[in-house]
């Protein structure tokens, strides 16, 4: 986020660089059970973002002094692959990935019924294979699918989406050029059933009215993502029990 670059044209008429309207999300595809050795997994394509998530556990937490007899610990590791961005990223954790791992773990901890698994740890690995802005939202969305895929009891899914300001206009789901040269990015995640916000970060500046508008756009985006998540899980369940398109498959 540069604070707004006036030389870069991001909006022409009522369309954005990639032809989207202001309230339009990028194309999103989701899939679960994509990894054999993980308890649960998910893969998401969100615009040009490609993110895979593996969930391991609940398993006994070591070293033992970290164990909590009242609840499980949920750990999250967000990793941007060196080849996922234009300018090769140095492998390993950095300030940004530590921050994103922390906010994702906190958001997911608010839906997982951790008290059901005392003394254990649930590990969530978010691997970004290709990045084009909004990777924390894509990662969180896929992570909650992977947790559900692992059969870990949850109060609801976490659905995420960002909104922001580009060339003075409030838009949803910023892509990389908009993130780089826009004026503000507001990634959010919610627990849809409780209308509870579990992640809200802001990079840039918005007036009070702009914030209200962006907040609403991000929540509307989260609700669209939530519908896709539910359909993905339902599709995977139907495949498992041999139901195709609502009709029982005899073989
Ligand atoms: O990805 P997200 O929007 O959640 O996080 P960000 O820190 O706002 O990063 C925005 C985008 O910048 C990423 O999605 C990448 O496309 C890009 N980026 C990069 O090119 N190199 C990095 N070391 C970090 C981010």
């Amino acid at each position: 986020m540069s604070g707004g670059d006036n030389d870069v044209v991001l909006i022409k008429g009522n369309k954005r660089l990639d032809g989207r309207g202001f309230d339009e999300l990028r194309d999103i595809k989701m899939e679960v059970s994509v990894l054999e050795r993980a308890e649960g997994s998910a893969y998401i394509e969100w615009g040009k973002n490609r993110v895979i998530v593996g969930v391991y556990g609940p398993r006994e937490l070591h070293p033992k002094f970290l164990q909590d007899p009242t609840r499980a610990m949920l750990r999250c590791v967000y990793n941007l692959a060196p080849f996922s961005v234009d300018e090769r990223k140095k492998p390993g954790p950095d300030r940004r990935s530590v921050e994103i791992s922390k906010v994702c773990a906190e958001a997911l901890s608010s839906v997982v019924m951790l008290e059901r698994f005392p003394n254990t740890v649930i590990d969530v690995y978010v691997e970004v294979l290709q990045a084009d802005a909004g990777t924390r939202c894509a990662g969180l969305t896929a992570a909650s699918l992977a947790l559900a895929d692992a059969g870990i009891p949850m109060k609801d899914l976490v659905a995420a989406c960002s909104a922001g300001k580009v060339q003075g206009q409030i838009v949803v789901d910023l892509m990389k050029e908009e993130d780089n040269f826009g004026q503000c990015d507001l990634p959010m995640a919610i627990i849809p059933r409780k209308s509870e916000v579990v992640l809200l970060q802001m990079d840039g500046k918005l007036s009070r009215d702009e914030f209200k508008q962006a907040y609403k756009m991000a929540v509307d985006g989260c609700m669209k993502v939530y519908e896709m998540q539910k359909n993905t899980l339902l599709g995977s369940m139907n495949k498992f029990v041999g139901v195709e398109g609502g009709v029982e498959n005899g073989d």
Side-chain angles (χ1 to χ4, degrees):
M1 194 60 47
S2 65
D5 189 327
N6 294 330
D7 296 338
V8 184
V9 178
L10 298 167
I11 292 179
K12 261 195 196 157
N14 281 336
K15 294 279 176 211
R16 295 153 72 179
L17 265 192
D18 57 2
R20 279 186 292 156
F22 302 147
D23 61 352
E24 234 178 290
L25 299 182
R26 289 174 280 185
D27 286 339
I28 300 176
K29 278 191 216 152
M30 306 170 182
E31 204 183 330
V32 289
S33 300
V34 292
L35 298 172
E36 209 165 290
R37 287 188 203 95
E39 251 82 50
S41 56
Y43 171 68
I44 189 163
E45 294 183 3
W46 186 320
K48 292 184 203 156
N49 291 313
R50 302 282 182 271
V51 183
I52 193 160
V53 177
V55 167
Y56 301 83
R59 53 191 175 189
E60 195 180 354
L61 174 60
H62 291 283
K64 277 195 164 181
F65 72 85
L66 290 176
Q67 290 183 359
D68 182 339
T70 66
R71 67 203 309 257
M73 173 193 281
L74 189 147
R75 287 189 298 217
C76 181
V77 177
Y78 164 101
N79 181 50
L80 198 63
F83 52 81
S84 66
V85 283
D86 290 340
E87 201 171 309
R88 182 183 177 277
K89 185 203 158 274
K90 194 168 155 248
D94 54 14
R95 271 174 58 136
R96 177 179 174 277
S97 67
V98 169
E99 171 210 314
I100 298 178
S101 300
K102 181 175 185 293
V103 294
C104 288
E106 284 170 4
L108 296 168
S109 295
S110 54
V111 285
V112 176
M113 296 180 179
L114 297 171
E115 64 288 352
R116 300 262 183 106
F117 306 101
N119 300 321
T120 67
V121 61
I122 299 168
D123 282 305
V124 180
Y125 293 98
V126 178
E127 295 289 331
V128 180
L129 309 176
Q130 191 169 287
D132 195 66
T135 57
R136 77 194 65 202
C137 292
L140 254 180
T141 298
S144 73
L145 279 181
L147 284 161
D149 182 53
I152 294 173
M154 295 155 83
K155 293 172 200 148
D156 195 5
L157 295 166
V158 168
C161 185
S162 79
K165 186 175 168 186
V166 173
Q167 256 180 248
Q169 181 66 49
I170 304 299
V171 299
V172 78
D173 186 22
L174 278 64
M175 58 170 176
K176 187 157 175 278
E177 290 80 357
E178 295 173 330
D179 183 295
N180 286 170
F181 304 111
Q183 294 146 308
C184 185
D185 183 26
L186 181 80
M188 275 183 62
I190 62 168
I191 306 176
R193 269 172 34 187
K194 296 208 284 178
S195 300
E196 193 178 305
V197 175
V198 287
L199 176 126
L200 193 156
Q201 299 185 284
M202 190 158 103
D203 184 9
K205 282 186 190 162
L206 293 176
S207 71
R208 188 180 287 254
D209 281 346
E210 285 169 342
F211 177 80
K212 279 188 190 160
Q213 209 185 328
Y215 178 93
K216 184 174 180 314
M217 258 196 181
V219 170
D220 289 348
C222 290
M223 292 311 292
K224 289 182 188 162
V225 168
Y226 184 51
E227 287 308 311
M228 293 181 223
Q229 286 174 305
K230 287 193 292 186
N231 287 337
T232 304
L233 289 173
L234 210 60
S236 141
M237 213 165 67
N238 285 346
K239 218 158 61 182
F240 185 69
V241 295
V243 176
E244 205 71 65
V247 181
E248 188 137 9
N249 184 351
D251 38 64

